[in-house]
DNA sequence: CCGGGATGTGTACATCTGTACGCATCGCCG
DNA sequence: CGGCGATGCGTACAGATGTACACATCCCGG
């Protein structure tokens, strides 16, 4: 095959890697699978990302950036009229009502940080950044962190069980748990 | 090698599989690694667990049962004097102060259910059972589910960031988020 | 305009993996 | 006590994978 000049290739490889993880999970991520998905030769994926870890890091960086951008836009749209917990419950509901494949992908990469040392700082930064952004709304960091934890737990719970999401019950439940 | 009669072998293989996941993660789980860890020949692991999925399922079943037993004992020890949220915060603090390797292992297997169809019902059952047990204390299921989500999110947040756990701040933050 | 470094390409190789299979050996039930 | 099904054991094989490497080609700065 003739060599083709392709300045966007590195980016396309990252996109392809994310697609592979979305389709087959992290376990299915391989240089060859990514090469096929990006329609580039094997040597090209290993040139831009010498190890699989490099590829994983790039994928999580991009996914995190995308999520944080969405999250920031959502936070900017808040008017502060309702309790912050209600805002977060609405975000969770909207996210779960959207593309679950994408949410699952985001959590799979994000939680892989539990095992992969090189992913951990990325996940931690993403968590911190979410808390910082949310703190612009709640006014303080601990409240924001509690809400981030709550929303993560809710997302996982509903992704795992498939149970319908009931914001009012959860809100009332949380209130009851605090007295 | 002479054949040895070994009625507990199946159980030892499961234990070894859990050990392998603890050491190398799910990605490192293989019939051969488990065989070596359990000190049995390769054919023995494939005889008792024909596919890797079978092994994963058995491992998660056992880990979940262990966690639910601990959780049940903890719940039985509650006196109902404090708000349920404070009880849960104490549980999270105690768990994070204990063996983090074990907690990480539990979450890794548990969250693998996001990807593995055969693990999903196990994880969902574990979540439901936790909520049921906790509901004996809170009186209603939605409150229990909210608390389970909160605790899962907190555990993950602290496992990922390594930040010190501050129950009072989180409790106050959650209260503030609801008004 | 030209040379060197960046980028692209194809292939090779050692390693690991899941799984199958044949045979050995044992426990237990009839 | 005999045999048969459960269990144990070793090996074989095809396929996938990470990674290295040699070589081709192109862009861009001097």
């Amino acid at each position: 095959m003739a060599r083709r000049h392709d300045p966007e290739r590195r980016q396309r490889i990252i996109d392809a890697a994310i697609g592979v993880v979305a389709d087959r999970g992290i376990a299915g991520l391989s240089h060859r699978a990514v090469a096929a998905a990006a329609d580039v030769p094997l040597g090209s994926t290993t040139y831009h990302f010498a190890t699989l870890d490099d590829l994983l890091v790039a994928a999580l960086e991009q996914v995190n950036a995308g999520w944080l951008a969405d999250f920031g836009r959502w936070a900017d749209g808040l008017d502060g009229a309702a309790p912050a917990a209600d805002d977060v419950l609405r975000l969770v509901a909207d996210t779960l009502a959207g593309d679950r494949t994408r949410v699952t992908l985001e959590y799979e990469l994000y939680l892989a940080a539990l095992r992969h040392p090189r992913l951990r700082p990325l996940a931690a930064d993403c968590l911190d950044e979410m808390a910082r952004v949310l703190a612009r709304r709640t006014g303080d960091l601990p409240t924001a962190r509690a809400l981030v934890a709550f929303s993560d737990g809710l997302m996982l719970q509903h992704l795992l069980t498939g149970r319908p999401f009931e914001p009012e019950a959860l809100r009332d439940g949380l209130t009851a748990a605090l007295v």
Side-chain angles (χ1 to χ4, degrees), chain A residues 85-106:
Chain A
D86 288 330
D87 292 332
V88 167
L89 282 166
R90 195 162 37 249
L91 172 67
V92 174
D94 290 349
T95 305
L96 288 173
D99 181 1
R100 292 219 175 186
T101 304
R102 183 187 155 187
V103 187
T104 304
L105 160 78
E106 288 166 348

Tab-separated table of all heavy atoms in Angstrom, chain A residues 85-106:
chain	number	residue	atom	x	y	z
A	85	ALA	N	-28.810	19.052	45.292
A	85	ALA	CA	-29.048	17.620	45.142
A	85	ALA	C	-30.062	17.349	44.032
A	85	ALA	O	-29.936	16.372	43.283
A	85	ALA	CB	-29.532	17.029	46.466
A	86	ASP	N	-31.044	18.214	43.925
A	86	ASP	CA	-32.051	18.028	42.872
A	86	ASP	C	-31.445	18.252	41.493
A	86	ASP	O	-31.780	17.552	40.534
A	86	ASP	CB	-33.231	18.975	43.105
A	86	ASP	CG	-34.081	18.530	44.295
A	86	ASP	OD1	-34.122	17.307	44.544
A	86	ASP	OD2	-34.674	19.382	44.968
A	87	ASP	N	-30.580	19.243	41.399
A	87	ASP	CA	-29.889	19.448	40.131
A	87	ASP	C	-29.117	18.197	39.726
A	87	ASP	O	-29.169	17.757	38.574
A	87	ASP	CB	-28.919	20.638	40.247
A	87	ASP	CG	-29.665	21.949	40.397
A	87	ASP	OD1	-30.804	22.063	39.909
A	87	ASP	OD2	-29.087	22.878	41.009
A	88	VAL	N	-28.404	17.625	40.691
A	88	VAL	CA	-27.606	16.443	40.392
A	88	VAL	C	-28.494	15.258	40.017
A	88	VAL	O	-28.186	14.499	39.091
A	88	VAL	CB	-26.711	16.096	41.605
A	88	VAL	CG1	-26.105	14.707	41.449
A	88	VAL	CG2	-25.608	17.138	41.750
A	89	LEU	N	-29.601	15.119	40.711
A	89	LEU	CA	-30.521	14.023	40.367
A	89	LEU	C	-31.034	14.186	38.936
A	89	LEU	O	-31.185	13.201	38.205
A	89	LEU	CB	-31.694	13.978	41.347
A	89	LEU	CG	-31.361	13.352	42.703
A	89	LEU	CD1	-32.437	13.649	43.729
A	89	LEU	CD2	-31.176	11.848	42.554
A	90	ARG	N	-31.274	15.409	38.528
A	90	ARG	CA	-31.735	15.631	37.158
A	90	ARG	C	-30.620	15.275	36.169
A	90	ARG	O	-30.872	14.667	35.122
A	90	ARG	CB	-32.199	17.074	36.969
A	90	ARG	CG	-33.034	17.270	35.693
A	90	ARG	CD	-33.856	18.558	35.735
A	90	ARG	NE	-33.149	19.643	36.394
A	90	ARG	CZ	-33.507	20.156	37.570
A	90	ARG	NH1	-34.564	19.680	38.193
A	90	ARG	NH2	-32.808	21.131	38.110
A	91	LEU	N	-29.400	15.640	36.520
A	91	LEU	CA	-28.275	15.289	35.631
A	91	LEU	C	-28.163	13.771	35.475
A	91	LEU	O	-28.001	13.254	34.359
A	91	LEU	CB	-26.961	15.842	36.198
A	91	LEU	CG	-25.698	15.384	35.457
A	91	LEU	CD1	-25.663	15.961	34.052
A	91	LEU	CD2	-24.433	15.761	36.225
A	92	VAL	N	-28.263	13.079	36.589
A	92	VAL	CA	-28.170	11.611	36.520
A	92	VAL	C	-29.301	11.051	35.665
A	92	VAL	O	-29.081	10.184	34.805
A	92	VAL	CB	-28.200	11.004	37.941
A	92	VAL	CG1	-28.255	9.477	37.867
A	92	VAL	CG2	-26.979	11.436	38.731
A	93	ALA	N	-30.488	11.564	35.895
A	93	ALA	CA	-31.635	11.082	35.114
A	93	ALA	C	-31.405	11.323	33.628
A	93	ALA	O	-31.627	10.430	32.793
A	93	ALA	CB	-32.913	11.784	35.578
A	94	ASP	N	-30.949	12.516	33.284
A	94	ASP	CA	-30.715	12.835	31.872
A	94	ASP	C	-29.628	11.951	31.282
A	94	ASP	O	-29.747	11.454	30.158
A	94	ASP	CB	-30.317	14.313	31.724
A	94	ASP	CG	-31.492	15.245	32.013
A	94	ASP	OD1	-32.635	14.743	32.111
A	94	ASP	OD2	-31.259	16.463	32.169
A	95	THR	N	-28.576	11.757	32.042
A	95	THR	CA	-27.469	10.931	31.541
A	95	THR	C	-27.929	9.497	31.314
A	95	THR	O	-27.620	8.884	30.284
A	95	THR	CB	-26.303	10.956	32.540
A	95	THR	OG1	-25.934	12.315	32.801
A	95	THR	CG2	-25.099	10.217	31.979
A	96	LEU	N	-28.677	8.967	32.286
A	96	LEU	CA	-29.141	7.581	32.144
A	96	LEU	C	-30.161	7.457	31.016
A	96	LEU	O	-30.298	6.379	30.415
A	96	LEU	CB	-29.755	7.095	33.459
A	96	LEU	CG	-28.755	6.825	34.581
A	96	LEU	CD1	-29.487	6.520	35.879
A	96	LEU	CD2	-27.839	5.661	34.207
A	97	ALA	N	-30.870	8.545	30.744
A	97	ALA	CA	-31.871	8.490	29.673
A	97	ALA	C	-31.209	8.606	28.304
A	97	ALA	O	-31.840	8.311	27.286
A	97	ALA	CB	-32.895	9.614	29.862
A	98	GLY	N	-29.952	9.029	28.289
A	98	GLY	CA	-29.257	9.205	27.016
A	98	GLY	C	-28.623	7.916	26.525
A	98	GLY	O	-29.173	6.825	26.723
A	99	ASP	N	-27.478	8.060	25.911
A	99	ASP	CA	-26.788	6.926	25.299
A	99	ASP	C	-26.055	6.114	26.362
A	99	ASP	O	-24.980	6.478	26.814
A	99	ASP	CB	-25.799	7.450	24.251
A	99	ASP	CG	-25.058	6.318	23.567
A	99	ASP	OD1	-25.318	5.148	23.896
A	99	ASP	OD2	-24.221	6.609	22.699
A	100	ARG	N	-26.650	4.995	26.742
A	100	ARG	CA	-26.050	4.198	27.834
A	100	ARG	C	-24.734	3.568	27.408
A	100	ARG	O	-23.881	3.309	28.246
A	100	ARG	CB	-27.014	3.094	28.278
A	100	ARG	CG	-28.226	3.652	28.960
A	100	ARG	CD	-28.636	2.783	30.126
A	100	ARG	NE	-29.745	3.415	30.838
A	100	ARG	CZ	-30.238	2.958	31.966
A	100	ARG	NH1	-29.733	1.865	32.501
A	100	ARG	NH2	-31.224	3.583	32.559
A	101	THR	N	-24.601	3.302	26.138
A	101	THR	CA	-23.320	2.763	25.672
A	101	THR	C	-22.196	3.725	26.008
A	101	THR	O	-21.131	3.331	26.494
A	101	THR	CB	-23.358	2.526	24.154
A	101	THR	OG1	-24.444	1.672	23.845
A	101	THR	CG2	-22.065	1.891	23.682
A	102	ARG	N	-22.462	4.998	25.759
A	102	ARG	CA	-21.429	5.987	26.036
A	102	ARG	C	-21.147	6.072	27.529
A	102	ARG	O	-19.989	6.119	27.947
A	102	ARG	CB	-21.893	7.363	25.515
A	102	ARG	CG	-20.820	8.408	25.714
A	102	ARG	CD	-21.286	9.809	25.376
A	102	ARG	NE	-20.476	10.775	26.108
A	102	ARG	CZ	-20.710	12.063	26.144
A	102	ARG	NH1	-21.740	12.567	25.480
A	102	ARG	NH2	-19.940	12.868	26.838
A	103	VAL	N	-22.187	6.082	28.337
A	103	VAL	CA	-21.974	6.163	29.780
A	103	VAL	C	-21.210	4.948	30.278
A	103	VAL	O	-20.269	5.057	31.075
A	103	VAL	CB	-23.321	6.267	30.524
A	103	VAL	CG1	-23.068	6.523	31.999
A	103	VAL	CG2	-24.171	7.370	29.933
A	104	THR	N	-21.600	3.792	29.787
A	104	THR	CA	-20.899	2.575	30.197
A	104	THR	C	-19.425	2.647	29.817
A	104	THR	O	-18.536	2.285	30.606
A	104	THR	CB	-21.548	1.340	29.546
A	104	THR	OG1	-22.934	1.312	29.877
A	104	THR	CG2	-20.899	0.066	30.031
A	105	LEU	N	-19.172	3.090	28.605
A	105	LEU	CA	-17.779	3.251	28.162
A	105	LEU	C	-17.018	4.182	29.088
A	105	LEU	O	-15.895	3.892	29.509
A	105	LEU	CB	-17.768	3.812	26.736
A	105	LEU	CG	-16.474	4.469	26.286
A	105	LEU	CD1	-15.449	3.415	25.927
A	105	LEU	CD2	-16.690	5.416	25.138
A	106	GLU	N	-17.631	5.322	29.407
A	106	GLU	CA	-16.953	6.288	30.273
A	106	GLU	C	-16.617	5.678	31.623
A	106	GLU	O	-15.494	5.814	32.123
A	106	GLU	CB	-17.834	7.529	30.458
A	106	GLU	CG	-17.912	8.389	29.200
A	106	GLU	CD	-19.028	9.429	29.265
A	106	GLU	OE1	-19.885	9.342	30.177
A	106	GLU	OE2	-19.060	10.311	28.389
